[in-house]
Amino acid sequence: MSADVAMNPQRRGPEEEAYEERAFGFWLYLMTDAIIFALLFATYVVMAPNIASAPAPKSLFDLWHTAGETALLLVSSLTFGVATISMIQGKKGQVLLWLAVTFVLGAGFVAMEIMEFAGMIAAGAGPGGSGSLSAFFTLVGTHGLHVSLGLVWIIILGLQVAVKGLTMPVTSRLFRLGLFWHFLDIVWIGIFSVVYLPGIM
Amino acid sequence: MLGRLTIDALPFYSWIAMGGAGVTVLGGVVIFVLLTWFKKWGYFWSEWLTSLDHKRIGVMYIALALLMLVRGFVDALMMRSQQAFAYDSGGYLPAGHFDQVFSSHGTIMIFFMAMPFMTGLFNLIVPQQIGTRDVAFPFMNSLSLWFTSSGAGLVLVSLVIGKFSTAGWTGYPPYSGLEYSPGVGVDYWLWAVLISGIGSTLTGINFIVTILKRRAPGMTLLRMPLFTWTVLVSSVLMAFAFPALTVATGLLALDRYLDMHFFTNADGGNMMNFISLLWIWGHPEVYILILPAFGVFSEVVATFSRKALFGYKSLVFATAAIGILSFSVWLHHFFTMGAGANVNAIFGIATMIIGVPTGVKVFDWLFTMYRGRITFDPTMYWTIGFIVTFVIGGVTGVLLAIPPVDYLMHNTTFLVAHFHNMIIPGVLFGYVAGLIYWFPKAIGFQLSAKWGIRAFWCWIIGFYLAFMPLYFLGLLGMPRRMERYEIAAWQPYLIIAAIGAAVILAGVVCMAMQLLVGIKEREKTRDLSGDPFNGRTLEWLTSSPAAPYNFAVIPKVDSLDAFWKMKVDGTAYQRPSGYTDIVMPRNSSLGVIAGAFSFVLGFAMIWYIWWLAALSLLVIGIVVVVRSSMENTDYVITADEVAAIEEQRFNDLARVPRHDTGDPAASPQAAPAPGSAS
């Protein structure tokens, strides 16, 4: 299941088992996070019509902006995949390169999201405007916060790869970061389909 | 600099609040002085606070739970005495203070008594019961403990600095929103619940991985002891339900801090969302708490009836079924809030269906006792007391599950009586039984049985006196949470209820005596065998208290009740041919530090001290990064050290007689009970 086992199909000592446990534990953590997002989605769907006297979030969406964000995030998932392949091949330089590319794309996504939020607040549609806007900013913002934490994590693991090399503990951490990063992609697809598409279409 | 924290935060508003604050501060000072006087800070820090040993973490969880039990119980005494006197008068508690008391009573008993008590039992027993050396994530375990403690600390501090919430333990908006509760009370509640809730989510993940990945070789899922099964289901529920609590309280915090409109009256808020989210967590929470207690009862009944558990598989399936069903009933907490007849009917039926697997369990326990060779240990008293009382609570629960009946009785003391009728016998009795049962395993000697039985009788008599009148009062229409009333007919019942609370107080005193007398007589009851009760499951194979590594050699399992089979086969205490080095996690202060700063973070957020909040968040982040970057977190116990410890162990074992393992069900006088698990 884990990259560690894939790398060492012959040997499965207690160390490997510990990494497998960590991978399993991390999957469980992602499930708990998925529940948080599921409930935020449900809250958004229930509250989206509650626009009170504020502008409806739907009227503020811009197809091209959202498309740009989506492209950045999806491509960053791809580049992270390339980093993982380089990791399995044991190419340290390549791993660092692709992590850097992933970081730049992810940072671009966060920057675009901040621009979008700033624009909405400037247009008088801040998170305090209505129940609908509160739910929008919380759902999308929680995802953005996760991406930002992922960026910090990429820096930390990039440093670890550079200093410690592709040791077993480091590759196992990188594997879990990969799970996290791809998970955020899936959540974004949900946000795109549930929040932005119904607004734009 | 200090946000909204001013000198007015001190409890000068009421003598009673000042008294409570005084006791809290005095307690802290006494502990501080004692530790300093006996020069125990170093020992306490290096042996306990920083320990990653699951057994020590378990003991600390239970110590926290017992402390908070006393605190929460004092709240209960205050409410009962207030209501006994408050007919046509103000009683002795001002209204706002009474509201704080009932809010903190509920919050403490659920989050800071029951949850840590349960997690403590998980930690003490599960790794030993499944034949492993530790939980999957020992550091995360320490983190969970200190997050829970920091939440408890916030509730305790609220008594001294500022006020606690007046919005009840469920904190329903819009009352808990900024508009109606602008003070710090709701914020204390929010941060205590949020921080400890994260600890609980982590605990859930930890025990799912531990149980699924770390069982001894040969222990298939259907050879797991029932307590482990209930912990597994309960942990799954924790991992799936606690995120809902995080969302509910998180969104309420956004309303309060960032002026959002999730649950406000105006501007597009929808307070029903909070109630729905809260109970998506809250109903499974009931089963999170109760299932491990069912696990304890199952172990106790089997051990003290000297029989294999009747219908083991049906108990496992019933546990799993309850776990799944627990997510399908949350709406019964708001039948009267306008969901419509069809929705109410569906959730009413779903609620009643949960009674079926629960009934299966009750019969399994009864059939286990049937023709068993029962020993009336104090744990058996608690178990039998539980079965009788819990059935009564179940019946009143089915009544409340009928929506039209619920319309009549919701928010009356009938409801209060019902849920105490479930939670006191179903949760507290179970944990107390578990504590008495596993106390020798954790500490090395037994508690006083005499005082244990006295404690039981006080508790059960006190329970009936305190809560049966509340059923009648509910039928008479008395709403819950009243600090005064004008109806003379209510007072006699409330006086009886107050007397009941006093009898329970005697029970609490007996429990303290049980511990003190146990300590005094510890030489007489010291447990050298590691198996004082002739147990059936693997935790009794280790010494009492177990060595840091639990098992010098990981046991192999080939049946249910693995340890019992070993004893019958005569393989239980064989010397292994040799020992190997054992790798164990080293102590770490990072968990305590993260916990301490989560307390500071909560406190700073409550008082709007933004710089301190940012600083403590940064420290917690650094702790997490540092710990997750560490490679050498283990130490090695060499084979020689293991051999020395085990040599001592075998010397102890040689000094104690072996238990009789004749099976009463297999003897010719008693026919085997139909369908009993082999």
Side-chain angles (χ1 to χ4, degrees), chain B residues 441 526-535 538-547 549-552 563 566-567 570-576 579 642-659:
Chain B
K441 181 52 55 190
R526 192 170 293 285
D527 174 29
L528 297 175
S529 66
D531 179 24
F533 305 123
N534 204 3
L538 279 180
E539 76 269 27
W540 303 110
L541 177 59
T542 59
S543 57
S544 292
Y549 47 77
N550 294 348
F551 300 91
F563 179 53
M566 288 176 193
K567 286 195 285 191
T571 56
Y573 302 110
Q574 276 174 354
R575 273 169 200 267
Y579 300 101
V642 175
I645 296 172
E646 293 299 307
E647 193 56 35
Q648 176 66 40
R649 160 93 173 123
F650 282 108
N651 287 341
D652 285 346
L653 277 172
R655 286 160 55 194
V656 287
R658 292 289 143 80
H659 289 292

Side-chain angles (χ1 to χ4, degrees), chain B residues 21 27 46 83 86 98 136 153 155 228 342 375 395 472 499 584 591 615-616:
Chain B
S46 57
Q83 288 193 330
F98 184 81
V155 178
T228 300
N342 289 332
T375 314
V395 171
F472 292 104
I499 293 170
M584 294 301 293
L615 182 73
S616 32

